[in-house]
């Protein structure tokens, strides 16, 4: 249980964003596919990324770790070894989906499993296209849910149009395509995060882009790299919204990744009337990074849907909190993917915010929030074991009269283990 009280005053000062989770997963998986040593700096030390780290070790990859610095000794794709035990992906959809793509094309047997949440997340979205490439994957409940049993073999390229934008599905197919016979073409309906393409291209993968289409040619010679992981905009988002909502705040968040496929929250907060300055822009390891300066402002309602959704999908729970503190009725559409994240995030965030007196209505593909429709009051709320719900509720608690107690607060360890400490420090 964590108790959070209303913010006593403005949030001020400087923080460094927690390392990016999506890039950290990739930074421990991809170097294993090259021959030689890659160095990874600022690797995220959190439960999710440690799942990828442990699975790679189980696949026979030697990784030397000194704090957040990794030295990954790649032996080429052919160097991966059959794991002797089940690969435990924990809570991490990224670990499971990326590794399934990779292992479908390796000549050995592997089983991937996760916690109760992950073993209830749909996998047909990767199993169907991988099967068209020739993969043999078995799964529970009509072949949709983990554990997954993968009988790896030679695959062939396909031409595939994703029904929903998903970086995990795109990445699984890109990894399978690296050693397939022939080219693979992948087309998304909207652009999802592109870290996989950026990193594999830097390593020498043969990838071409044509609008929303990506074409991969196999058998490239992948070379080791130095990857410096930037700050995670998805973790910074909680403090961005907190600073936007608490009057008089001015918060500097250093070293945040502002890749355009991830930065939808900046656009939305600016549209809501928030003052955000973007300074010290630079490119680090092929990713745009900057310092963000966020000042508290009077926010107004916003409607979001369409192309922007994949650019802020993980931030929608905390955007719901921003909407609760904004004047007017805000609406989110086209975000049905939220229902198949670590929890059904549409249901989880609306039901918990309601307990705090916020007018929040779940819809099929999003939610409707009437901002400032009454007093936001402290309540007993539940994270549902979902890291992003826990942190979003903590931000809502800063606005609420009285105390809010959040159960299952340790869920934050999945992506942001230092969250509670940072929260206490900034709201003191
Ligand atoms: C991720 C992709 C996103 C995101 C998830 C991490 C990734 O999911 O929600 O938290 O690292 O590739 P999609 O596969 O739905 O894009």
């Amino acid at each position: 249980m964590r108790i959070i009280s209303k913010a006593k005053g403005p949030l001020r000062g400087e923080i460094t964003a927690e390392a990016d989770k999506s890039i950290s997963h990739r930074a421990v998986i991809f170097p294993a596919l090259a021959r030689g040593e890659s160095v990874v700096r600022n690797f995220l030390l959190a439960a999710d990324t440690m799942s990828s780290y442990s699975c790679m070790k189980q696949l026979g990859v030697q990784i030397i770790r000194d704090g957040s610095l990794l030295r990954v000794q790649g032996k080429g794709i052919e160097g991966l070894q059959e794991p002797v035990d089940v690969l435990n992906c924990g809570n991490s959809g990224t670990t499971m989906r990326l590794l399934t793509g990779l292992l479908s094309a390796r000549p050995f047997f592997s089983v991937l499993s996760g916690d109760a949440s992950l073993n209830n997340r749909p996998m047909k979205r990767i199993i169907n296209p991988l099967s068209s490439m020739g993969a043999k994957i078995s799964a529970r409940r009509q072949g949709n849910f983990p554990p997954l049993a993968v009988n790896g073999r030679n695959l062939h390229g396909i031409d595939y149009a994703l029904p929903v934008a998903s970086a995990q599905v795109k990445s699984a197919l890109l990894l399978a395509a690296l050693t397939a016979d022939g080219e693979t073409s992948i087309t998304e309906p909207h652009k999802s995060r592109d870290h996989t393409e950026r990193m594999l291209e830097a390593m020498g993968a043969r990838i071409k882009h044509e609008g929303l289409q990506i074409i991969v040619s196999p058998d490239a010679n992948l070379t080791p790299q130095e990857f410096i992981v930037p700050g995670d905009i998805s973790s910074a988002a909680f403090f961005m919204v907190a600073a936007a909502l608490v009057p008089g705040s001015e918060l500097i968040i250093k070293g945040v990744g502002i890749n355009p496929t991830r930065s939808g929250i900046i656009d939305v907060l600016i549209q809501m009337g928030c003052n955000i300055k973007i300074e010290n822009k630079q490119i680090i390891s092929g990713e745009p990074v900057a310092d963000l300066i966020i000042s508290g402002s009077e926010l107004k309602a916003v409607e979001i849907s369409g192309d922007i959704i994949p650019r802020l999908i993980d931030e929608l729970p905390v955007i719901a909190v921003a909407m609760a503190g904004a004047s007017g009725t805000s609406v989110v559409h086209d975000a049905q993917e939220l229902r198949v994240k670590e929890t059904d995030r549409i249901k989880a965030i609306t039901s918990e915010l309601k307990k705090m007196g916020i007018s929040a209505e779940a819809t099929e593909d999003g939610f409707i929030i009437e901002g400032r429709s009454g007093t936001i009051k402290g309540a007993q709320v539940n994270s549902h074991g979902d890291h992003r719900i826990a942190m979003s509720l903590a931000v809502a608690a800063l606005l609420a009269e009285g105390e809010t107690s959040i159960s299952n607060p340790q869920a934050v360890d999945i992506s942001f283990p230092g969250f509670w400490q940072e929260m206490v420090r900034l709201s003191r």
Side-chain angles (χ1 to χ4, degrees):
M1 188 76 81
R2 271 277 165 175
I3 313 270
I4 303 284
S5 305
K6 183 169 175 164
K8 290 186 195 72
L11 305 187
R12 288 181 168 270
E14 194 176 291
I15 57 172
T16 301
E18 186 66 275
D20 191 278
K21 179 160 86 67
S22 286
I23 296 176
S24 293
H25 282 298
R26 290 159 170 81
V28 70
I29 297 173
F30 300 169
L33 313 179
R35 285 182 194 279
E37 180 178 280
S38 290
V39 176
V40 182
R41 298 185 195 278
N42 197 34
F43 178 75
L44 172 66
L45 298 173
D48 248 27
T49 45
M50 288 316 281
S51 292
S52 288
Y53 173 92
S54 312
C55 289
M56 293 314 287
K57 284 193 139 186
Q58 276 184 269
L59 291 164
V61 181
Q62 221 201 323
I63 308 171
I64 301 160
R65 183 170 80 78
D66 179 4
S68 61
L69 180 111
L70 308 183
R71 292 181 191 283
V72 185
Q73 321 278 338
K75 290 196 201 138
I77 301 185
E78 300 75 23
L80 296 176
Q81 290 164 17
E82 184 173 70
V84 292
D85 207 341
V86 172
L87 296 169
N88 183 0
C89 305
N91 190 247
S92 173
T94 306
T95 308
M96 182 170 283
R97 295 194 174 116
L98 267 58
L99 289 187
T100 302
L102 181 63
L103 297 176
S104 300
R106 293 297 84 226
F108 53 70
F109 177 72
S110 40
V111 178
L112 300 99
S113 189
D115 66 8
S117 153
L118 181 56
N119 284 357
N120 259 311
R121 295 182 63 185
M123 294 295 151
K124 269 205 176 140
R125 54 182 57 205
I126 52 166
I127 295 173
N128 285 348
L130 288 170
S131 302
S132 314
M133 296 177 81
K136 291 282 174 262
I137 304 168
S138 313
R140 275 185 324 122
R141 285 164 48 202
Q142 283 84 47
N144 197 10
F145 294 93
L148 307 180
V150 182
N151 272 297
R153 60 198 57 224
N154 261 351
L155 304 182
H156 52 82
I158 54 164
D159 194 336
Y160 186 68
L162 271 72
V164 282
S166 162
Q168 292 175 353
V169 176
K170 174 176 65 177
S171 304
L173 299 179
L174 277 165
L175 290 172
L178 290 178
T179 52
D181 291 333
E183 277 185 357
T184 298
S185 146
I186 304 163
T187 308
E188 291 193 280
H190 308 276
K191 192 165 163 81
S192 66
R193 65 194 66 192
D194 63 359
H195 308 302
T196 298
E197 297 91 299
R198 285 177 189 246
M199 293 169 82
L200 289 178
E201 278 177 50
M203 293 174 74
R206 297 190 293 159
I207 300 177
K208 282 186 293 193
H209 302 260
E210 279 173 37
L212 291 167
Q213 188 188 27
I214 302 168
I215 297 165
V216 191
S217 303
D219 302 326
N221 190 15
L222 299 182
T223 52
Q225 299 293 309
E226 179 179 19
F227 289 118
I228 304 171
V229 180
D232 196 330
I233 193 164
S234 300
S235 295
F238 303 102
F239 294 110
M240 290 167 71
V241 171
L245 288 172
V246 177
S249 297
E250 185 170 282
L251 199 60
I252 303 170
I253 314 182
K254 308 272 283 183
V256 184
I258 53 163
N259 180 316
T261 60
R262 299 282 300 280
S263 60
I265 184 164
I266 298 180
D267 302 354
V268 163
L269 286 177
I270 290 174
Q271 209 186 327
M272 293 176 86
C274 178
N275 194 355
I276 304 187
K277 283 195 227 134
I278 304 177
E279 292 188 349
N280 286 331
K281 274 197 199 171
Q282 40 186 325
I283 302 286
I284 299 179
S285 291
E287 290 280 348
V289 179
D291 299 338
L292 304 180
I293 303 166
I294 296 109
S295 319
S297 342
E298 286 285 308
L299 298 187
K300 53 183 193 303
V302 70
E303 293 199 12
I304 38 190
S305 62
D307 267 0
I308 197 170
I309 296 292
R311 298 179 55 228
L312 46 66
I313 188 76
D314 290 342
E315 291 66 75
L316 283 170
V318 77
I319 288 175
V321 176
M323 290 169 162
S327 56
T329 303
S330 291
V331 186
V332 174
H333 279 306
D334 302 327
Q336 55 276 30
E337 275 297 294
L338 283 182
R339 293 207 179 267
V340 290
K341 295 293 177 188
E342 286 83 330
T343 48
D344 175 343
R345 286 185 173 157
I346 292 181
K347 195 167 148 198
I349 196 67
T350 53
S351 63
E352 298 306 317
L353 291 181
K354 268 192 213 159
K355 292 181 188 166
M356 301 178 76
I358 294 165
S359 164
E361 187 196 326
T363 61
E364 198 60 30
D365 66 347
F367 41 79
I368 302 170
I369 299 204
E370 270 180 54
R372 301 208 207 142
S373 55
T375 312
I376 302 181
K377 49 186 197 304
Q380 288 192 358
V381 292
N382 190 342
S383 73
H384 297 241
D386 180 328
H387 53 134
R388 302 206 195 279
I389 300 294
M391 294 186 272
S392 302
L393 293 172
V395 176
L398 294 177
L399 306 182
E401 295 303 329
E403 286 183 341
T404 299
S405 57
I406 305 173
S407 55
N408 287 318
Q410 70 290 350
V412 304
D413 291 351
I414 290 295
S415 59
F416 195 165
F419 176 78
W420 296 114
Q421 232 180 327
E422 206 61 305
M423 188 76 182
V424 169
R425 185 174 77 84
L426 286 173
S427 56
R428 197 173 277 151

